[in-house]
Amino acid sequence: MLQTRLPEAYTVEYRDVPVPEIGPEEVLIKVKRFGICGSDIQVYHGQHKYMTFPVVQGHEAAGTLEKIGDKVSGLKVGQAVTVQPQIFCGVCQPCKSGHPNVCQNLRVYGVHTDGLGQEYFAVPAEKIIPLPEGCSFDDGALIEPITVGVGAVRRCGDVKDRNICILGAGPIGNFTAQVAQAKGAQVMVTDINQKKLDLAASMGIKNTINTENRDLKTCIADVFGPAGADIIIDCAGAPASLTSAIKSARPASKIVIVANFKVPVEVEIPLIQRQQIDVLGVMMYIKEDFFTAVDLVSQGKVTTEGIISEYFDISKLKEAYEYIDANRLDVNKVMMTFGE
Ligand SMILES: [Zn+2]
Ligand SMILES: [Zn+2]
């Protein structure tokens, strides 16, 4: 079978390797889609802090079950599925206290260990999230980034009737905004890329604001009035986004950091302290968040319409990255397909 592997930054190897054997508690997935994520791009550029080469990428994926281990129940061959791409140790303090997403030995498929950028993938059955009847493979592969939005919104606490400002209208900002809106929040999304804002608007996000050359605090006041934002969620991940979030945060509000920052950011601690702002980190999601994401998509409360910028066959992974690098500002989700 074909396996794509990155031996180092900016390099893709196309390898012919045996189809994996499965253990009694595992299943074999025939991979149909894998979406390229911002963190994958960091890996490709050799800028991801917590990974080592070589690596087979792919943590946003969908496929069908090709084989099922002897001890697995409740799943059937041919069924469409996605995967929870986190591996937990189960014995550290975070794992034991109900926070496996911050497991001290966390490994993520496609980042710390090989992922689904290959024709077949063996995985423990407990990582399988079944997709409902009628769910496309595209949507199946987008469940993971939608689940990031679910995890981010869950971290915010009860968001019903809250004013939430989301920085960044890329796929994660977009999905986080849709999830927050589905949960009853008043949402605004900011970006400096008008195309991404237009897409967000077309997907039903109410307030889409271009902040190029504009002060974030003023933009927030324009939408939410003097009450400001109860919560600012940073899905942009640029030093400028976080510093403007801290400058624009209302007293006794929250800032939730979802984006992967590539570099440390200097922030004005006195603004955080004097205004008593809760700055919260969020790391991915827990398994329940996947079920929430699947429900939101199947109920039509989160849409994926228009988020896929381009498709490439798995044999063209390198070309997919070249396309992403050439269209860096405008690209949303690039989806890898497997021979169809
Ligand atoms: Zn991702
Ligand atoms: Zn652990």
Side-chain angles (χ1 to χ4, degrees), residues 243 246-249 268-277:
T243 49
I246 290 168
K247 284 196 181 116
S248 311
E268 282 190 56
I269 299 293
L271 276 179
I272 297 172
Q273 183 259 328
R274 284 157 180 262
Q275 303 194 89
Q276 208 165 293
I277 296 163

Side-chain angles (χ1 to χ4, degrees), residues 139-160:
D139 279 1
L142 290 166
I143 291 294
E144 193 272 353
I146 295 168
T147 304
V148 173
V150 173
V153 172
R154 183 172 45 73
R155 187 83 169 103
C156 294
D158 184 7
V159 300
K160 192 166 181 338

Side-chain angles (χ1 to χ4, degrees), residues 282-332:
V282 49
M283 177 59 181
M284 301 178 83
Y285 36 63
I286 55 175
K287 191 169 188 179
E288 290 88 293
D289 296 332
F290 275 88
F291 300 122
T292 304
V294 167
D295 286 347
L296 288 170
V297 172
S298 48
Q299 292 162 8
K301 290 181 178 168
V302 169
T303 174
T304 63
E305 195 72 46
I307 203 84
I308 297 175
S309 302
E310 197 57 82
Y311 293 88
F312 287 88
D313 187 75
I314 188 65
S315 61
K316 302 261 188 304
L317 182 59
K318 173 83 178 156
E319 285 84 346
Y321 278 115
E322 285 166 357
Y323 169 83
I324 290 168
D325 282 343
N327 297 279
R328 201 58 205 271
L329 296 178
D330 291 333
V331 75
N332 282 301

Side-chain angles (χ1 to χ4, degrees), residues 35-51:
I36 296 183
C37 167
S39 68
D40 293 324
I41 300 168
Q42 287 182 3
V43 169
Y44 176 74
H45 290 154
Q47 290 174 335
H48 198 288
K49 284 203 174 60
Y50 305 103
M51 57 83 56

Side-chain angles (χ1 to χ4, degrees), residues 8 17 20 23 43 45 50 57 69 78 81 105 109 121 124 145 168 172 177 207-208 211 213 222 235 255 261 315 325:
E8 58 186 7
V17 300
V43 169
H45 290 154
Y50 305 103
Q57 295 192 295
V81 299
N105 304 296
Y109 294 129
F121 188 68
I172 295 296
N207 303 292
T208 55
T211 46
N213 303 321
D222 286 350
C235 296
I255 296 174
F261 279 81
S315 61
D325 282 343

